[in-house]
Amino acid sequence: MQESPNGSSDQGQNVRVFELAAELFGVLATPMRLRILSALCDKEKSVSQLLSEIETTQPNLSQHLNVLYRTGVLAKRKEGTQVIYRVQSEQAVSLCRTV
């Protein structure tokens, strides 16, 4: 991408970076999602492991996990009957460690 004399390609990249940051902040704007991210920051965990660490109901936890999964913050895999979640977004990991 070539930069025009007024720097418009740099501005376009900056706008996109800000848009992505705002999306991530929007997804993480609830304390419950921040707690989930913090619990998963260092290692993957099953839903039952998360429930033992985070005081909430299973349906509420699942709803928040689903939002984080759909937005690309978390990845999941099945292991038998259990669903295992891990942090997928490097930006989210960086934010987690900063907070």
Side-chain angles (χ1 to χ4, degrees), residues 2-97:
Q2 280 198 319
E3 184 178 319
S4 65
N6 66 1
S8 64
S9 68
D10 282 347
Q11 286 179 337
Q13 285 179 318
N14 286 342
V15 167
R16 187 64 189 138
V17 167
F18 293 139
E19 288 171 353
L20 290 170
E23 286 175 27
L24 181 59
F25 289 140
V27 169
L28 298 177
T30 66
M32 178 60 67
R33 292 187 196 139
L34 288 172
R35 281 187 281 199
I36 292 168
L37 186 61
S38 178
L40 292 171
C41 222
D42 293 322
K43 75 177 222 179
E44 65 180 19
K45 294 181 181 167
S46 68
V47 174
S48 58
Q49 288 172 312
L50 289 168
L51 274 172
S52 70
E53 292 181 32
I54 299 170
E55 196 171 315
T56 189
T57 63
Q58 191 275 330
N60 188 44
L61 179 65
S62 291
Q63 180 182 14
H64 287 289
L65 286 168
N66 193 34
V67 170
L68 292 168
Y69 172 73
R70 282 194 334 254
T71 56
V73 174
L74 298 182
K76 67 181 179 179
R77 65 183 174 83
K78 284 202 85 159
E79 193 172 276
T81 59
Q82 299 225 337
V83 179
I84 312 294
Y85 285 91
R86 66 177 167 81
V87 179
Q88 175 171 278
S89 164
E90 285 305 314
Q91 293 92 346
V93 171
S94 296
L95 182 62
C96 175
R97 295 208 168 108

